[in-house]
Amino acid sequence: MIGITGDLHADLTRFKHKNLRKLKKNDYLIICGDFGCIWQGGKKEKRILKSLGRKRYNVLFVDGCHENYDILLDYPVEEWNGGKVRVISGKLRQLMRGEVYNLDGKRVFTFGGGQSDDKDIKSESKMWWKQEVPSEEEIANAVRNLEKHGNSVDYIITHEPPATLKEFLQFDTEQKSEMGAYFDELKSECDFKRWFFGKCHINRTIPPKYYAMFDDVTLVE
């Protein structure tokens, strides 16, 4: 079984959500960006990461707009369930941009990253990092990996929504990005059952198959 939730921002009370009691050994919880537990690199933070890696289910996250990339990018990369991951601790892993994984018999495409709404008033490498914005190479990697799977997956997990959904939700409508444009292309070119994203800090279903996730936990089978 796969559980999906939105931006965590290091709020560990999320792990008390009633739906997480239904996840069994080696099931999966996916966080749609802004994990937030990799930020200062201190001893307390390392204890938290170790504890999350010891849960009975796998704790997985895509990166968002509020990660410390100086620390995150130093974690080792390995192949896992069909795609590349960064291994944080035990069963705690980052799902990387443009990868396709086989989770619980489902094909899951992930693409983290985004664009901070307030980066103009933040100091680089203190509150925001340029690595949060996906590169052309990462988008090209996504295109190649999806082509290998016939441009067909079960679930798409991102931090940012497609640009047209941002407009529909009236969220950051003035922000334009290459990633948003790519996600709009992905909507029409990829066959998928559900698309889950964070960023907007709301829990909302957008028919026919889009899900804005925040502090709720949705279970999919």
Side-chain angles (χ1 to χ4, degrees):
M1 184 179 292
I2 301 173
I4 302 174
T5 190
D7 303 12
L8 191 68
H9 292 290
D11 177 13
L12 300 182
T13 63
R14 188 77 53 85
F15 291 94
K16 297 179 181 179
H17 194 286
K18 62 181 181 179
N19 281 349
L20 293 182
R21 301 173 195 160
K22 300 177 183 179
L23 294 184
K24 299 177 181 178
K25 184 178 180 181
N26 296 326
D27 280 344
Y28 309 91
L29 172 66
I30 304 178
I31 300 163
C32 296
D34 285 357
F35 175 56
C37 294
I38 299 175
W39 192 253
Q40 296 177 332
K43 291 182 179 179
K44 180 179 179 180
E45 188 172 271
K46 290 179 180 178
R47 287 196 297 268
I48 290 171
L49 297 175
K50 194 170 184 179
S51 175
L52 293 178
R54 287 176 171 170
K55 289 192 174 294
R56 65 182 181 277
Y57 49 84
N58 296 275
V59 180
L60 313 171
F61 67 94
V62 299
D63 54 302
C65 303
H66 299 287
E67 320 289 356
N68 186 329
Y69 285 93
D70 290 340
I71 300 175
L72 178 60
L73 299 183
D74 279 342
Y75 281 96
V77 175
E78 67 178 37
E79 293 284 335
W80 180 78
N81 284 21
K84 294 180 181 179
V85 297
R86 284 194 173 88
V87 181
I88 309 302
S89 177
K91 294 181 179 180
L92 173 62
R93 302 175 178 89
Q94 179 206 353
L95 303 177
M96 296 176 65
R97 299 174 185 175
E99 298 294 312
V100 179
Y101 306 92
N102 186 338
L103 304 180
D104 200 32
K106 304 296 183 182
R107 286 180 178 175
V108 180
F109 170 77
T110 63
F111 202 107
Q115 185 169 315
S116 293
D117 312 327
D118 50 0
K119 72 174 185 178
D120 292 340
I121 60 174
K122 292 182 177 179
S123 299
E124 184 175 355
S125 296
K126 291 184 179 180
M127 292 298 291
W128 73 274
W129 284 257
K130 62 183 180 181
Q131 295 96 327
E132 71 179 35
V133 179
S135 65
E136 292 182 2
E137 181 180 350
E138 288 170 330
I139 292 176
N141 176 62
V143 172
R144 288 192 300 269
N145 285 333
L146 283 172
E147 286 178 347
K148 292 177 184 177
H149 291 86
N151 286 312
S152 178
V153 295
D154 292 290
Y155 308 130
I156 294 177
I157 309 289
T158 62
H159 178 58
E160 293 267 0
T164 50
L165 286 189
K166 267 190 173 183
E167 294 173 2
F168 174 78
L169 294 170
Q170 297 183 330
F171 185 86
D172 297 337
T173 55
E174 294 183 0
Q175 275 196 348
K176 305 294 181 183
S177 68
E178 185 175 353
M179 180 176 56
Y182 168 60
F183 285 173
D184 276 345
E185 292 179 9
L186 190 62
K187 284 172 54 182
S188 58
E189 295 179 359
C190 182
D191 179 32
F192 62 94
K193 295 178 181 177
R194 301 184 190 181
W195 185 325
F196 300 88
F197 60 89
K199 178 74 171 184
C200 300
H201 289 194
I202 58 173
N203 300 303
R204 182 171 174 181
T205 300
I206 305 153
K209 50 187 177 181
Y210 301 94
Y211 300 82
M213 301 297 302
F214 182 36
D215 54 2
D216 198 6
V217 176
T218 293
L219 300 179
V220 296
E221 297 186 51

